[in-house]
Amino acid sequence: MTTLFLAIISAVLIFYSSKATGRFVEPIKELSAGVKEIARGNLDKKLDIHTGDEIEHLADSFNSMTEKLKNHIQHIENATAERERIKTELNVAKDIQVSMLPKLPAFTERKDFDIYATMRAAKEVGGDFYDFYLLDHRHLVITIADVSGKGVPAALFMVIAKTMLKDFTIYMRSPNDFAAVVASANRQLVESNDMLMFVTLFFGMLDLNTGDFTYVNAGHSAPLIYEAARKAYRYLPAGQNFVLGGLPDTTFEQESIKLKPHDIIFLYTDGIIEAMDDIHEQYSSERLNATLNDLGGEMPLPDLLDAVQKSVDDFEGKENQTDDITMLALRFNG
């Protein structure tokens, strides 16, 4: 009887123990299987466990974590897609901007002058620009400018300024109207300047028959002239008129100089002289003058501009370019 009683008690204990163990173990197995499925990438998996204890709380925590992870991944995917879209649009804007600049090499059939230019933006698109074109067989116009700011807004303002200047110049009747052209372009820029931007500008015209070079400097860095007779560069005297896009009634004064055969006019933007090294020292106008004098004025203009750019790059070292760098060189051959 005792043995029979003990057997019955043991069977009852084993039954209830197995049932209790199953009620505890099965949710854990379900939790483990669900976590493995989530780990394989199924973030839509939801753990449906209702035990009223810590296991249910743990399952709810996994569900919450999975939902947050899913939202985070979606956010990253959206942000990545947006960055790619912006990058694509900036590349298109860069291509459009480059296409608006004069094609190089240019005027290779002409023997009375050589001209070359480069532009390297600090971002995908920049606010610097250069331009050159013949008004007629004997008058060559050159332009270099720097729009305040960088990126797409500066590039858009650059397009407006470049277009206005060229449109007014084409209808110019006399070299004496050169300053008036700049004043007219300034008035138009002020009227459409909702972004409150401005342009520094050096604007010149060379008479290829006489060597007379007429120019207006509107707040831009003074260019250099290489005098072949002296075999040396010096800064061109250039009055500091006010910038374009600032005040509607600004007047501008034009100046002139006579170029002799093989003289060079070297134009640049302040991205060169304000380039910095790792101790925040600027490249400076003095260093630019010294660099050009070391290079001389006899090498081809593309090589000259490349050498100046290399000098700036070597000076900056590992520092990133912070401003647009644009250069234009014109040699009068007479």
Side-chain angles (χ1 to χ4, degrees), residues 3-4 18 37 40 51 59 93 98 119 124 129 153 161 169 172 192 197 205 216 235 255 307 315 318 327-328:
T3 301
L4 180 61
S18 298
E37 188 173 347
R40 287 193 293 267
T51 58
V98 171
M119 186 182 76
E124 287 83 355
F129 73 89
T169 305
M172 184 177 65
S192 58
M197 305 183 80
M205 181 175 66
V216 174
Y235 278 98
E255 301 172 74
F315 176 80
K318 295 181 180 180
M327 293 178 281
L328 185 150

Side-chain angles (χ1 to χ4, degrees), residues 53-314:
D53 55 16
E54 292 298 322
I55 297 177
E56 181 179 347
H57 178 70
L58 183 60
D60 291 342
S61 297
F62 267 105
N63 287 337
S64 176
M65 179 196 70
T66 303
E67 188 65 28
K68 290 180 180 178
L69 182 60
K70 181 180 177 182
N71 292 336
H72 182 64
I73 291 174
Q74 185 63 48
H75 175 73
I76 291 175
E77 289 177 349
N78 292 340
T80 301
E82 181 66 12
R83 282 197 298 270
E84 288 300 317
R85 183 187 66 80
I86 292 173
K87 183 178 179 180
T88 299
E89 290 182 355
L90 287 174
N91 286 335
V92 172
K94 180 179 180 180
D95 291 342
I96 293 173
Q97 183 181 33
V98 171
S99 70
M100 294 190 66
L101 299 174
K103 299 296 184 292
L104 293 165
F107 302 118
T108 53
E109 75 284 358
R110 298 289 297 244
K111 304 302 180 185
D112 46 354
F113 71 93
D114 298 315
I115 193 165
Y116 199 76
T118 61
M119 186 182 76
R120 193 169 77 178
K123 295 185 176 181
E124 287 83 355
V125 291
D128 283 7
F129 73 89
Y130 65 83
D131 201 4
F132 53 81
Y133 45 89
L134 285 166
L135 285 181
D136 50 42
H137 188 72
R138 63 179 286 184
H139 291 102
L140 174 69
V141 175
I142 60 173
T143 308
I144 194 166
D146 185 357
V147 178
S148 60
K150 302 178 186 66
V152 173
L156 292 174
F157 200 71
M158 175 272 288
V159 172
I160 296 171
K162 179 179 179 293
T163 303
M164 287 182 177
L165 275 168
K166 189 169 185 178
D167 286 348
F168 282 115
T169 305
I170 290 173
Y171 292 103
M172 184 177 65
R173 296 180 178 277
S174 164
N176 295 328
D177 298 334
F178 210 60
V181 166
V182 179
S184 298
N186 175 67
R187 283 193 295 272
Q188 290 289 349
L189 284 173
V190 172
E191 289 179 5
S192 58
N193 192 6
D194 296 333
M195 295 182 291
L196 301 179
M197 305 183 80
F198 63 87
V199 185
T200 67
L201 169 79
F202 185 89
F203 192 47
M205 181 175 66
L206 175 63
D207 187 325
L208 296 166
N209 287 357
T210 66
D212 291 329
F213 184 64
T214 304
Y215 59 91
V216 174
N217 185 17
H220 199 76
S221 302
L224 292 103
I225 178 173
Y226 174 78
E227 295 173 311
R230 296 176 53 246
K231 297 186 180 299
Y233 287 88
R234 65 178 176 87
Y235 278 98
L236 185 69
Q240 289 294 323
N241 296 292
F242 198 56
V243 299
L244 272 67
L247 301 172
D249 298 323
T250 302
T251 57
F252 298 87
E253 294 184 5
Q254 66 186 52
E255 301 172 74
S256 62
I257 189 172
K258 196 174 190 68
L259 300 186
K260 296 178 180 178
H262 310 300
D263 284 357
I264 297 174
I265 297 292
F266 179 86
L267 312 180
Y268 61 95
T269 56
D270 59 10
I272 290 183
I273 58 176
E274 294 179 1
M276 289 189 179
D277 61 10
D278 56 356
I279 59 172
H280 303 292
E281 180 181 349
Q282 290 190 342
Y283 189 81
S284 78
S285 55
E286 291 79 13
R287 184 176 276 105
L288 175 60
N289 189 13
T291 297
L292 286 169
N293 276 298
D294 288 342
L295 295 171
E298 297 181 1
M299 66 174 62
L301 297 185
D303 295 343
L304 177 67
L305 299 194
D306 286 346
V308 173
Q309 183 66 65
K310 183 179 184 305
S311 174
V312 175
D313 291 342
D314 291 344

